[in-house]
Amino acid sequence: REGYHREAIVQYRQALRLSPGNAVWLMGLGISLQAEKNYHEAREAYSRARASGSLSPELQAFVEQRLRQLGQ
């Protein structure tokens, strides 16, 4: 499983070039960035996902929890 998150980061970034406001992809990017200990960029991805306003209540709560973990 080593490298899984690094590869996911590359894939999410490519996908987000096509659809920059896709909140689920931003959330996925945040998860992988956080797993790779890239906390600053993870916070940014989660914040963008939260700001989109298009997440389900459950995913919105998940993103909020992750942002709290990261100190925001």
Side-chain angles (χ1 to χ4, degrees):
R1 289 181 88 66
E2 189 170 322
Y4 170 80
H5 285 290
R6 278 177 286 208
E7 179 60 27
I9 290 166
V10 170
Q11 296 297 320
Y12 279 122
R13 286 182 172 155
Q14 287 176 349
L16 286 163
R17 281 190 203 99
L18 301 174
S19 182
N22 186 308
V24 173
W25 292 349
L26 286 163
M27 183 186 69
L29 177 61
I31 291 167
S32 289
L33 287 165
Q34 186 175 7
E36 288 291 314
K37 298 181 180 10
N38 189 338
Y39 302 126
H40 175 76
E41 287 188 49
R43 273 191 301 274
E44 187 176 301
Y46 289 136
S47 293
R48 287 177 56 203
R50 176 178 61 186
S52 76
S54 63
L55 291 172
S56 70
E58 294 83 10
L59 293 180
Q60 187 76 21
F62 175 82
V63 166
E64 295 291 342
Q65 175 191 23
R66 290 295 179 111
L67 284 168
R68 282 192 300 276
Q69 286 177 350
L70 293 170
Q72 186 174 350

